[in-house]
Amino acid sequence: QVQLVESGGGLVQYGGSLRLTCLVSGRDFKSYEIGWFRQAPGKEREFVGAIIWKDLLPYYASAVNGRFTISRDNAKNTVYLQMNSLKPEDTAVYYCAASSRVLVTREYLYDYWGQGTQVTVSS
């Protein structure tokens, strides 16, 4: 079992920045890939990016590539989502999730989910 808790959401203006945090705990959590997803009102949940605990680069959806950065602090069991140049279309509930597979972008391939944190970008 893996537990994930997101924090750091809030209201930000167009062009601003936010950093989301995902605190990860549980059995063998370091063998899991941690992904970020988001769900806007009336839309399906979509993949944002992911990172695995081994020394591989994170990867991103095209909609956020170049603006968002995923990193992890192994000592703190934490994964971060740094979001820059935010746009109103980035408004959504953001979730972190854990998968026992590698390089996965599909929601159904993630085994554990956090409760989500709201990000709102005003125009």
Side-chain angles (χ1 to χ4, degrees):
Q1 192 81 3
V2 176
Q3 294 81 40
L4 306 104
V5 179
E6 305 96 333
S7 61
L11 175 65
V12 63
Q13 290 187 336
Y14 178 89
S17 298
L18 274 177
R19 188 179 77 164
L20 305 184
T21 298
C22 177
L23 179 62
V24 187
S25 62
R27 181 178 180 181
D28 298 328
F29 68 88
K30 289 188 176 181
S31 63
Y32 283 80
E33 180 155 319
I34 304 299
W36 286 95
F37 288 76
R38 66 185 183 185
Q39 187 168 22
K43 295 187 177 181
E44 293 185 351
R45 191 150 53 183
E46 64 175 356
F47 175 77
V48 173
I51 190 167
I52 68 171
W53 288 100
K54 296 180 180 179
D55 290 333
L56 293 180
L57 293 175
Y59 56 101
Y60 307 94
S62 57
V64 305
N65 196 26
R67 299 189 297 124
F68 290 10
T69 302
I70 297 174
S71 60
R72 81 268 194 265
D73 184 332
N74 289 342
K76 295 182 178 180
N77 301 339
T78 300
V79 176
Y80 301 101
L81 177 64
Q82 177 67 44
M83 305 184 294
N84 298 327
S85 302
L86 283 163
K87 307 173 183 179
E89 51 263 45
D90 295 317
T91 295
V93 177
Y94 283 72
Y95 301 88
C96 61
S99 175
S100 57
R101 301 160 184 86
V102 179
L103 296 177
V104 289
T105 62
R106 300 292 185 180
E107 176 182 353
Y108 68 90
L109 293 174
Y110 282 80
D111 308 293
Y112 303 99
W113 292 82
Q115 81 288 352
T117 185
Q118 176 70 47
V119 172
T120 303
V121 184
S122 63
S123 57

